[in-house]
Amino acid sequence: MVLATSPSHLIDQLPKPRGRLTADAPLGPQTWFRTGGPAEVLFRPADTEDLAAFLQALPEEVPVTVLGVGSNLLVRDGGVKGVVIRLQRGFTGIRVDGQDVIAGAGALDLNVALTARDHSLAGLEFLSGIPGTIGGALRMNAGAYNGELSHVLMAAEAVDRAGAVHNVGPAEMGFSYRHSDAPMDWIFTSATLRGMPGDQLAIARRIAEIDAARTDSQPRSRTGGSTFMNPPGHKAWELIDQAGCRGLRLGGAQVSEKHCNFLINLGEASAADIEALGEEVRRRVYEKSGVLLQWEIRRIGEPASSGHGVEG
């Protein structure tokens, strides 16, 4: 379905897919921070074939951005130019084949862990502690609670910017800490993960432990998850705390009092507030420790200015 709009809009120049195209689609409500500008065009493909055909026919000059569940993402206030692709229905299926769990890139990490539990497959419990989708986990080699995607991945499927479909193994992904060397134009569509036969009760207990640990240590407010990667030999939250940034505020954004590697939207924060606060944290940590923190949260779109001062 294509929603009608002005004849001069980008949406009128795009191929007509089986999936859904929406002009000027608000992205803020689709992210965990609940702030940010719109997508010039939002595309929800029907399936992998629809995605591949659309990309093949899409003019080369049109930029493409992929949006997952919006958990580890900050959309800048000016919005995102070109086409933003979100994999929803058609990409959320999960099935089990022996010890393998085959999941669409739009499947929530938590649901993959629960499916593995239901089939008495151990080794995927850590996914329950990652607030995102399998596609995002592939892109950044997501990990938590002594597990990471590279430990369990058997195969991945992706579509490139030209519409070609790629099927690769873990060696071709070039995994490192919170990073994959996979080409940036690849849009992951599915993954095959390997579990191990295990005791269902023990698996369920481990998932419950992870949930309890997250509840105890992490804010459940409007946040994007861990803001900065842990530098070698350090924990980001400790460096932030030592630099006196716990509770630091800028406009409607704040460094969480509960876990200071989390930034939170107190209610009315702009994306500019959140990004500027993160940069201020990086500055103070570097000044205090000589360590330059690297963003773990992905920031996309057009930058916007902020007129607020830092409080803390």
Side-chain angles (χ1 to χ4, degrees):
M1 178 174 69
V2 178
L3 302 187
T5 185
S6 158
S8 61
H9 198 282
L10 172 64
I11 198 169
D12 297 300
Q13 306 165 31
L14 301 180
K16 302 302 182 274
R18 288 183 286 114
R20 184 178 182 185
L21 292 175
T22 308
D24 304 316
L27 294 180
Q30 301 187 54
T31 71
W32 286 29
F33 274 124
R34 298 291 187 268
T35 192
E40 190 171 5
V41 176
L42 180 65
F43 174 39
R44 298 179 180 92
D47 50 34
T48 301
E49 292 72 23
D50 188 37
L51 173 63
F54 178 84
L55 290 172
Q56 187 174 26
L58 186 67
E60 287 184 14
E61 66 273 13
V62 178
V64 171
T65 305
V66 181
L67 178 69
V69 75
S71 59
N72 198 244
L73 181 77
L74 181 65
V75 177
R76 294 184 175 110
D77 300 305
V80 183
K81 298 297 184 185
V83 176
V84 174
I85 296 174
R86 188 163 191 196
L87 305 183
Q88 293 182 296
R89 284 182 297 182
F91 296 90
T92 57
I94 305 169
R95 62 185 177 86
V96 174
D97 181 8
Q99 292 179 221
D100 290 341
V101 180
I102 300 95
L108 293 176
D109 299 327
L110 171 61
N111 290 344
V112 174
L114 295 178
T115 299
R117 176 203 64 189
D118 293 345
H119 288 79
S120 300
L121 290 174
L124 303 181
E125 297 92 333
F126 74 93
L127 287 168
S128 68
I130 301 173
T133 62
I134 289 298
L138 284 165
R139 173 58 63 191
M140 66 176 293
N141 188 23
Y145 302 98
N146 301 315
E148 61 182 43
L149 201 79
S150 61
H151 297 161
V152 297
L153 182 71
M154 299 302 294
E157 180 186 78
V159 180
D160 67 22
R161 178 62 177 78
V165 178
H166 301 264
N167 289 282
V168 299
E172 297 161 275
M173 292 289 290
F175 284 129
S176 56
Y177 175 68
R178 301 296 178 267
H179 177 76
S180 162
D181 284 335
M184 289 306 297
D185 71 331
W186 281 15
I187 299 173
F188 291 104
T189 53
S190 70
T192 300
L193 311 178
R194 175 66 53 86
M196 304 172 292
D199 177 73
Q200 190 175 71
L201 185 59
I203 295 167
R205 189 179 299 119
R206 177 59 180 152
I207 290 174
E209 288 171 356
I210 289 171
D211 182 61
R214 288 186 66 216
T215 300
D216 289 344
S217 66
Q218 299 178 10
R220 290 294 180 100
S221 50
R222 298 179 177 187
T223 181
S226 294
T227 305
F228 303 107
M229 293 184 280
N230 289 323
H234 298 278
K235 291 182 178 178
W237 77 264
E238 289 180 343
L239 294 172
I240 295 167
D241 208 13
Q242 290 162 8
C245 296
R246 186 182 294 269
L248 191 67
R249 285 186 59 176
L250 190 154
Q254 182 179 33
V255 176
S256 171
E257 299 268 10
K258 192 170 189 178
H259 189 315
C260 51
N261 195 23
F262 283 64
L263 302 182
I264 57 176
N265 178 355
L266 295 172
E268 299 299 328
S270 65
D273 287 343
I274 295 167
E275 186 166 17
L277 178 60
E279 290 298 333
E280 176 64 14
V281 168
R282 295 179 77 222
R283 186 191 69 78
R284 293 192 184 195
V285 168
Y286 184 73
E287 198 172 73
K288 174 74 174 178
S289 66
V291 177
L292 185 60
L293 294 176
Q294 300 300 318
W295 284 86
E296 185 169 335
I297 286 175
R298 181 177 167 224
R299 294 156 296 147
I300 63 172
E302 305 293 308
S305 60
S306 170
H308 296 291
V310 177
E311 303 170 23

